[in-house]
């Protein structure tokens, strides 16, 4: 009579250890609670203006992986104030001609309607880019730097003109209904590694390359100054594309004045702040980080935060959405504003 067999052991499961939810860097933890506390006040007829505490998004196109997160700051969570940062991600077009836009806006802390102004800025620049995405995509892939910069400049000015109009409609001064605005354009074409930044106002643009952070924030040139080195359209990081019929090259030269592009024909008001623009070519292994002021300030002011993010993002694979959210929420004493971060990993 055969002996009864013991049941087979359960298969071993490998469980990933999550990163700490309440991580911080620096000598001591921040004073505020690590998790949301008070909700913003809701009023009848204004429920459509409520803003979620956290927004998280991501995608993968061509050679890049996108992660984006916007989180209410510790101070706003404690005081029951809305998140003043706004985040919008969108894809325009199809196949290799598609264009991915990420818009980040940050409203003024002193303005009561700052969260509404930030949301309006993101939506209006997205509408403008949507109408012109085919031309913008072609300009990026063809290296027409002059048309690209001047066209995006005018689209941005048009957005700020709408903000001033909305301020007047609400009986506010222009500086009471405005926001910083920073955008990234990423072509879906896997053969094009050009990444375009543009916007107005504070924040940060950083690149993690070979384990070290580089601050790519475009410096505003002195009058009549020419700064920056000629970079490259797409393909090799050392190849400069041939000039277009209009004589344009895709460069990071921020001091060249170019004529208005054909994206918008009607005149628009002068910009409130200087326009910032940078087009650069990514290399395999790069990570590009676009940050609102609430994230850019601790990146520059607390070296431990930059080191920790560099260590976390050093792997061959980009983090998942939950891990990226945890990374962007690494807390630093003295920095309690909203945080919005958009990172692009290059395969």
């Amino acid at each position: 009579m055969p002996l009864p067999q013991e049941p087979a052991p359960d298969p071993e499961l490998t469980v990933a250890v999550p990163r700490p939810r309440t991580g911080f860097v620096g000598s001591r933890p921040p004073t505020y609670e690590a998790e949301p506390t008070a909700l913003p006040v809701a009023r009848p007829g204004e429920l459509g203006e409520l803003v979620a505490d956290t927004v998280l998004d991501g995608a993968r196109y061509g050679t890049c992986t996108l992660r984006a997160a916007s989180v209410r700051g510790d101070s706003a969570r404690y005081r029951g104030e809305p998140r003043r940062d706004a985040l919008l991600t969108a894809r325009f077009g199809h196949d290799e001609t598609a264009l991915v836009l990420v818009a980040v806006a940050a409203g003024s802390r002193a303005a009561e309607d700052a969260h509404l102004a930030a949301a309006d800025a993101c939506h209006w620049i997205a509408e403008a880019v949507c109408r012109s995405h085919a031309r913008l995509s072609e300009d990026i892939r063809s290296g027409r730097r002059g048309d690209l910069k001047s066209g995006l400049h005018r689209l941005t000015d048009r957005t700020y003109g709408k903000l001033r109009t909305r301020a007047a409609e609400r009986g506010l001064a222009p500086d009471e209904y405005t926001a910083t605005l920073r955008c990234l354009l990423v072509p879906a074409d896997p053969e094009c590694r050009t990444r375009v930044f543009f916007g107005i106002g504070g924040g940060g643009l950083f690149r993690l390359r070979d384990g070290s952070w580089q601050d790519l924030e475009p410096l505003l040139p002195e009058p009549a100054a020419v700064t920056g080195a000629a970079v490259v359209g797409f393909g090799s990081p050392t190849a400069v594309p041939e000039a277009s019929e209009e004589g344009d090259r895709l460069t990071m030269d921020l001091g060249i004045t170019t004529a208005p592009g054909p994206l918008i024909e009607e005149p628009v008001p002068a910009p409130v702040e200087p326009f910032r623009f940078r087009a650069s070519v990514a290399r395999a292994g790069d990570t590009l980080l676009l940050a609102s002021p609430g994230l850019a300030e601790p990146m520059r002011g607390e070296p431990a935060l930059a080191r920790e993010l560099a260590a976390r993002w050093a792997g061959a694979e980009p983090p998942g959405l939950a891990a990226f959210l945890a990374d962007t929420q690494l807390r630093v004493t003295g920095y309690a504003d909203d945080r919005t971060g958009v990172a692009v990993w290059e395969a």
Side-chain angles (χ1 to χ4, degrees):
M1 181 176 178
L3 295 176
Q5 296 181 352
E6 295 182 0
D10 294 334
E12 294 184 2
L13 298 178
T14 301
V15 180
V17 178
R19 307 182 191 192
R21 291 186 306 155
T22 58
F24 69 92
V25 296
S27 58
R28 59 185 176 86
T31 304
Y32 291 107
E33 293 281 346
E35 299 293 340
T37 52
L39 290 170
V41 175
R43 297 181 177 85
E46 300 178 359
L47 298 181
E49 299 178 354
L50 293 178
V51 179
D53 177 271
T54 301
V55 175
L56 186 63
D57 208 350
R60 179 174 293 174
Y61 284 99
T63 59
C64 67
T65 299
L66 173 71
R67 297 287 182 261
S70 184
V71 182
R72 191 163 52 133
D74 290 348
S75 176
R77 285 175 165 179
Y78 176 77
R79 302 175 189 279
E81 298 171 348
R83 175 169 49 87
R84 297 180 180 89
D85 279 7
L87 169 67
L88 183 147
T89 54
R91 172 179 62 90
F92 307 117
H94 303 276
D95 303 324
E96 294 184 354
T97 62
L99 193 62
V100 177
L101 166 73
V102 185
V104 173
S108 171
R109 177 187 291 183
E112 182 178 354
D113 295 331
H115 60 297
L116 303 180
D120 281 343
C122 286
H123 283 100
W124 286 332
I125 193 64
E127 289 178 356
V129 170
C130 180
R131 288 191 293 269
S132 303
H133 76 270
R135 172 63 185 273
L136 290 170
S137 177
E138 178 61 24
D139 285 347
I140 293 173
R141 293 186 297 130
S142 300
R144 290 194 286 265
R145 181 262 184 196
D147 286 349
L148 184 64
K149 180 181 178 182
S150 60
L152 291 173
H153 193 167
R154 291 178 66 81
L155 295 182
T156 304
D157 286 352
R158 182 180 176 87
T159 296
Y160 276 85
K162 288 187 174 183
L163 284 175
R164 289 190 287 272
T165 299
R166 179 61 58 86
E169 293 172 353
R170 300 175 76 95
L172 302 172
D175 60 354
E176 294 178 315
Y177 199 85
T178 190
T180 68
L181 178 63
R182 318 193 122 232
C183 302
L184 275 179
L185 289 176
V186 180
D189 185 351
E191 299 299 322
C192 180
R193 285 187 180 265
T194 302
R195 311 296 178 237
V196 177
F197 159 79
F198 68 97
I200 285 179
L205 182 67
F206 308 94
R207 180 173 59 203
L208 182 61
R209 174 174 287 179
D210 299 329
S212 300
W213 285 106
Q214 302 168 350
D215 194 334
L216 302 184
E217 182 70 12
L219 298 177
L220 299 177
E222 298 293 334
V226 177
T227 61
V231 234
V232 229
F234 62 90
S236 167
T238 59
V240 179
E242 295 297 326
S244 67
E245 295 179 359
E246 296 80 11
D248 295 321
R249 295 179 185 269
L250 186 61
T251 73
M252 288 189 296
D253 187 336
L254 303 177
I256 298 176
T257 303
T258 54
L263 294 178
I264 302 175
E265 299 299 337
E266 68 271 20
V268 294
V272 178
E273 295 186 45
F275 177 73
R276 298 177 186 267
F277 173 91
R278 181 159 191 150
S280 60
V281 173
R283 298 180 186 174
D286 283 355
T287 299
L288 188 65
L289 175 64
L290 175 68
S292 70
L295 179 57
E297 290 173 6
M299 280 289 291
R300 296 189 175 107
E302 178 51 73
L305 176 62
R307 288 195 300 268
E308 179 65 19
L309 289 181
R312 292 190 178 197
W313 295 349
E317 290 294 325
L321 290 180
F324 180 74
L325 177 61
D327 294 344
T328 56
Q329 290 187 105
L330 273 171
R331 306 168 73 225
V332 184
T333 299
Y335 299 95
D337 288 342
D338 298 348
R339 284 188 181 185
T340 302
V342 178
V344 178
W345 276 262
E346 300 290 342

